[in-house]
Amino acid sequence: MDKKRVYTFGNGQAEGKAGMKNLLGGKGANLAEMNLIGIPVPPGFTITTDVCTEYNELGREKVVQLLQKEVITAIESVEFLMKSKFGDVETPLLVSVRSGARASMPGMMDTILNLGLNDEVVEGLIRKTGNARFAWDSYRRFVQMYGDVVLGMKPTNKDDIDPFEAIIEEVKHAKGVKLDNELKVEDLKELVQKFKKTVKVKTGKDFPTNAYEQLWGAICAVFNSWTNERAILYRKMEGIPYEWGTAVNVQAMVFGNMGDSSATGVCFSRDAGTGEDLFNGEYLINAQGEDVVAGIRTPQQITKIGSQRWAELAGVSEEERVAKFPSMEEIMPEIYQELDELQTKLENHYKDMQDMEFTVQEGKLWFLQTRNGKRTGAAMVKIAMDLFRQGVIDEKTALMRVEPNKLDELLHPIFDKEALTQAKVLTRGLPASPGAATGQIVFFADDASEWAAAKKAVIMVRIETSPEDLAGMAVAEGILTARGGMTSHAAVVARGMGKCCVSGAGALRIDYKARTVEIDGVLLKEGDYISLNGSTGEVYLGEVETKEAELSDDFAELMKLADKYTRLQVRTNADTPHDAMVARNFGAVGIGLCRTEHMFFEGEKIKAMREMILAENIEERRIALAKILPYQQEDFKGIFKAMEGLPVTVRLLDPPLHEFVPHDLKGQEEMAEAMGVSLKYIQERVESLCEHNPMLGHRGCRLGNTYPEITEMQTRAILGAALALKKEGVVTHPEIMVPLTGILREYKEQDNVIRAEAAKLFAEVGDSIDFTVGTMIEIPRAALTADRIASAAEFFSFGTNDLTQMTFGYSRDDVASFLPIYLEKKILEVDPFQVLDQKGVGQLIQMATEKGRAIRPELKCGICGEHGGEPSSVKFCHRVGLNYVSCSPFRVPIARLSAAQAALED
Ligand code: PEP
Ligand code: MG
């Protein structure tokens, strides 16, 4: 038998189920599942994601042929259940055609509603419903959507106006009305006729009247939309492969626009912004589904409490709220109760927060969609922990539910409270996506991208956003819209991105042409600063200082749970006491890498360092080193103290020398004077230090081996600091690390210098301290000869930045010239400097660990390259049995959670 391409559902039966997401897409799989668990869903069918792939390979004609029989049979079964007929005048069946990929891609692809209408069918629909306004409104929406999406009439240029919108404006103007819903039946009829005329003019063809012709057009348009620009961009951002394809869902229409007993809405079983366990959502009376999401009318709240909270934020009095913006709970109490029961049922069934779409047609509730809701990082943690405490999921599931990378958002800045008291509130919108953002106003996505590329912080200000704005939203600090609610495009997308967003700020008067926005009498231009609080909806004038986030108890509890399962330890890369403290507060259990060259970036220290590098001979170098020693010792004391009781790996100097010498005349003159030498000498010395390949040049232990006095000074500073602290009763565990080892001999030389200097110091002081000496493994030769190196080194730390550089042969400093093209061409899937290359570099790590431990079973192995805070790389480190990962302070929680997940995945 030919393969099955179409799966039907309806009336409590379904050929698919929730587990078939890959084949049916998220929406299709859940529509099937909802049927199976007794949720009222309009009948329909899903065309599989495989067909999308066939469509892209074989083309339209062939695929329509392949689908023909199954689609017609499926339509017949919908006709049977709906007691109506597709294309029939007397009992017409209308359908919706929607996309639905494996992963949700909100608003990225196309949808067509009310399909099946023509000039005769619309009359039949009027006879059947007795509602001419509804029928003509549905018809004009259909022609508009079909024209835009299927016939390609939607403008691609931001300055062009949608031809259909232009006609609506023209007719509204002629009739002297402001709102769409003030148009009369006759006006709507006129719109349809004008729309169809425009179609004929622009496409050269009549608007299709045959229902099946319309259907095939719509199905193919959905497949086409898989490869539209915004879908491609979204996939790139979310890492969704092209090969997945989208399914197409064809479903009997139910109507939320049949009068005042009809409605449509979107709801969440918990708060997607904060995670609060509170049913919430928005609805519109007498409207069609897309109206809520499109942000064209600002919707009302579903629950009474939500409505009251909204009114408070919007400054609307209780009387006005009840009169003008009542909740669904208040005006449709029975439907509300059913909705509430079913949302609870869905959440319990899926054991996660649900994002649902529904329609009420003349008092009957239908669910159109459910999916696990997108949420902010804070909500993600709270929901996982709440569901665990409520006994819905176990602790392991709770840990696996949290996406490590999304924790990053929790660590995002909030406004400095003090600065906030000084700031002027311009207006308030809806708190659509939490966080604090400050930046310069831009109105268009292109400008946002351009300005952001020039390192400007921008806030994107729009009347409403649409998927075309995605690229701009991605680079903006925050998003502010005049229209649209909590489920508007801007809100949903911003939350997914973890980006601060304030939506529906009605006081904004935006003039795109003049590039200005007026807010309650204050006129702001493009480039002016504003600040947004996505947690309260407040909009501030000017720049408001931000500060680091405060972490919730749920976060702390989650981290505690993580530690219960983790085997891999998490240390941090830190060069200052402040960074060390931040990391320690995030749960780091030591420092895996303290880069000593970073300690010389400022003031007198850089001068002493330059003197050391520029010195002509060993005597002069020793003089410069003697100046550096007290600075170094103080710095180490600070770090050891911050990390009291925990191990601290201090790496000996590994500077690319040319970065530290002055290249400008002023700096060179300054050094000449400080060192009492001629300018010419300094210039020659700087010149001679320049290397063609500094990354492969005189750095790492090559420096320590050519100038052992540097290693001596550093050893003295490290152990001197530890001894001084010992006197104060502070316990330290110094680990001295030799960088860039490639040959056993060069390591041994350094080891000898360190131990000799330590012995000398201990004798001088009359006291000693325990310490270990080990090496970085960051040169392929070191990994290949790891057994030999382990015969002398007490620990290994994989420097995967250099190891990646030298394994691939890509210069860390110059990779940007070709990497983007490699990624685009898929020669590389990901940037190997961000995500560990497990097949190549990973193999070296695994082999070196095994070889090293064969000689020294207790050999402690860690990683301290950038990969130490990247989830998939952390999981790899767990699997190959490393002892720890070390990452930047703000990545510590991410690494801890990844480590726990790795253990659970075992
Ligand atoms: C590394 O190479 O991975 C490393 C941690 O050292 P650096 O980045 O300082 O070269
Ligand atoms: Mg390195």
Side-chain angles (χ1 to χ4, degrees), residues 565-743:
Y565 294 95
T566 304
R567 185 189 54 67
L568 192 68
Q569 294 195 321
V570 178
R571 295 195 189 184
T572 191
N573 294 357
D575 322 313
T576 66
H578 173 263
D579 287 359
M581 274 322 289
V582 170
R584 192 169 189 164
N585 288 336
F586 284 146
V589 294
I591 288 183
L593 174 64
C594 170
R595 290 177 165 106
T596 50
E597 58 281 1
H598 286 186
M599 298 171 156
F600 290 98
F601 281 139
E602 45 179 58
E604 285 303 304
K605 293 189 202 175
I606 183 98
K607 250 196 188 159
M609 174 79 162
R610 284 174 169 172
E611 244 183 271
M612 192 272 287
I613 296 172
L614 296 166
E616 199 173 7
N617 50 45
I618 183 161
E619 287 75 32
E620 283 180 11
R621 199 158 32 251
R622 280 199 192 280
I623 294 170
L625 284 167
K627 289 186 195 168
I628 295 176
L629 178 64
Y631 293 134
Q632 281 258 276
Q633 187 155 321
E634 270 316 294
D635 285 341
F636 291 142
K637 260 183 90 175
I639 286 175
F640 284 144
K641 209 164 177 175
M643 280 286 161
E644 182 173 0
L646 297 175
V648 174
T649 308
V650 181
R651 181 177 73 182
L652 300 180
L653 214 53
D654 179 14
L657 288 180
H658 67 288
E659 278 180 20
F660 281 85
V661 292
H663 292 277
D664 60 310
L665 186 65
K666 191 169 160 272
Q668 291 174 349
E669 281 171 349
E670 206 177 275
M671 284 315 295
E673 201 192 319
M675 292 171 68
V677 294
S678 69
L679 177 65
K680 189 159 167 278
Y681 169 80
I682 297 288
Q683 286 172 332
E684 279 170 9
R685 197 68 189 115
V686 168
E687 177 85 7
S688 75
L689 283 166
C690 276
E691 296 173 310
H692 282 293
N693 266 319
M695 275 298 179
L696 301 177
H698 195 185
R699 54 177 286 227
C701 67
R702 296 159 204 169
L703 198 67
N705 272 309
T706 46
Y707 305 139
E709 53 280 11
I710 300 178
T711 304
E712 285 167 7
M713 180 280 289
Q714 289 205 291
T715 303
R716 189 165 273 266
I718 296 164
L719 298 177
L723 283 168
L725 287 172
K726 189 179 172 187
K727 269 207 189 123
E728 297 172 22
V730 178
V731 177
T732 62
H733 299 288
E735 301 173 337
I736 301 178
M737 181 152 76
V738 177
L740 227 65
T741 296
I743 307 163

Side-chain angles (χ1 to χ4, degrees), residues 348-361:
N348 287 337
H349 182 72
Y350 285 99
K351 298 184 191 304
D352 199 357
M353 187 262 278
Q354 294 300 294
D355 164 356
M356 298 150 286
E357 285 178 22
F358 65 89
T359 285
V360 180
Q361 177 176 318

